[in-house]
Every structure is written in C-alpha cells, then in structure tokens.
Amino acid sequence: MTVRRLPALTGLLVLAVLLTGCGIRATEVPTDYGPAPSRVRCSLAEPDVSTQAAPGLPAQVFLLCGSSLVAVDRTVRVPDGASDSGRRVLVAQGLLDELAAQPSAAEKEAGYTSDVRRGLTVTGPRSGDPEDTLRLSTDPDDLTSYALAQVVCTFSDSAAAEGDGSVILAGPADRSARRYSCTDEVRARPGSNEPPADEVAGG
C-alpha cells in the first residue's frame, strides 16, 4: 500500500514546488477587486463619431483633463469667399464656441472639462493693431489661467493664427495687443503656468 501511494505523494510535492516557484499562493478565500476600469482617464476609448461627422473645417481645441490640456477634434464652419482676415476671425469665433460648449458624453466620461464660458466673442484688429490681432470681448487678464491657456493653445494651433505656436490677443479696451505663446509648461500645468506674453508693435 505504501509503495503504491509514493507516486501520488511525489506528484503533489512537485506541484507544490511549481506553484511556489511561480509565486502562486493557494487560498480558500475568494478575492474580488471589482471590475477592471473600462476607460483610462483623459483617453477616449474610441473616436467621437459625432465630432468627426460634423461638416466644416477640421480643427482641434484644448480641453482640460486632470491638471493638463488635451487636444480633441472639432470642426468649424467657415463660409466660402471669406477674406483672409475675415476667415481668421470666423475660425477664432468657431473655436471659442467649441471651447464654451459642453464636452460630449464620451469626453465627460473620460474626464474632460472646459473653463471657457459662453458668450465670449472675438473681433479682428483695430486701427494700429498688428494685422493678425484677435480682440476678445473679455480682457485676457480677466480670464482664469485655465481659460486663457485653453484659448491661447487652441488659437495658436489653428488657422486663426500664424501657426508658430503663438497668437496676438487683446481685450475690448484700447490697450496694446500682446503675443501669447503656448508652451509645454502651459499645456502640462495651465493652472500654475500662464501663457507667456509680450507686447507687440502696431501694424
């Protein structure tokens, strides 16, 4: 009887050694760590078809997610036949409207928000401004650091600016326009890093 049980005993010992070597510990207590997260924060599980299907000029706006800015796809409608300066203003206004709109359901689920409020408008340059100036209905200094970073980074990365990572902004009052830059630091920490700004000479 003893001889017949030895192979079975040897097999159990080998199995125990293998389990120990793999770092697997037997337990009689069921474990439940809950369901795996279905979506990584600040990352859409799939492209937002609703924003892609809209007619117009493809563009990107910068929304807030966590403590940083994240670019998301949008479209902006621009009428045919608009002059260069008129087109720039129309694109800028369309981008402002997208920034002020509620993020889509998928974007909300992923944690996207916006600090840009509805009602913000933009016009072109006044006499004495550089020709690519965009004047906001609210002074840039009166925007929150988050909203200003969203506007600057969105404009500077679009047809509303010259495509050099900066944009010339001013408020409604007669004050000098300033060139704002969207830097890596601004995109990473818009709450503590306001876009650098330098006054520019008139056109």
Side-chain angles (χ1 to χ4, degrees):
M1 295 293 292
T2 303
V3 174
R4 290 179 180 177
R5 293 176 60 185
L6 281 175
L9 181 61
T10 302
L12 289 174
L13 289 173
V14 171
L15 180 60
V17 171
L18 288 174
L19 289 175
T20 303
C22 294
I24 300 174
R25 184 174 61 185
T27 177
E28 295 180 358
V29 180
T31 58
D32 182 10
Y33 295 101
S38 59
R39 188 187 303 273
V40 178
R41 183 171 177 83
C42 302
S43 177
L44 296 174
E46 57 188 26
D48 194 334
V49 178
S50 63
T51 59
Q52 291 184 345
L57 178 71
Q60 287 188 322
V61 299
F62 281 85
L63 298 182
L64 298 167
C65 197
S67 60
S68 62
L69 296 179
V70 181
V72 297
D73 294 330
R74 291 289 189 270
T75 56
V76 177
R77 294 188 179 185
V78 179
D80 294 334
S83 64
D84 288 345
S85 58
R87 180 183 176 86
R88 183 183 296 116
V89 172
L90 289 171
V91 169
Q93 186 61 60
L95 292 172
L96 282 181
D97 293 342
E98 291 294 336
L99 285 171
Q102 289 290 324
S104 68
E107 290 165 349
K108 284 183 179 179
E109 187 178 346
Y112 291 87
T113 61
S114 179
D115 217 42
V116 178
R117 298 295 173 251
R118 290 183 179 275
L120 188 62
T121 59
V122 60
T123 57
R126 292 179 181 175
S127 177
D129 287 341
E131 63 178 2
D132 51 350
T133 299
L134 295 171
R135 282 191 171 268
L136 302 175
S137 57
T138 296
D139 194 289
D141 288 342
D142 293 335
L143 298 175
T144 67
S145 59
Y146 293 104
L148 180 60
Q150 285 184 261
V151 170
V152 168
C153 289
T154 296
F155 281 179
S156 65
D157 192 43
S158 75
E162 298 300 317
D164 61 353
S166 68
V167 61
I168 298 178
L169 297 178
D174 292 326
R175 60 173 299 177
S176 299
R178 286 177 287 179
R179 182 179 294 277
Y180 293 81
S181 300
C182 178
T183 64
D184 291 340
E185 292 76 16
V186 171
R187 287 190 291 268
R189 295 282 178 181
S192 54
N193 294 292
E194 289 196 355
D198 297 303
E199 288 196 9
V200 293

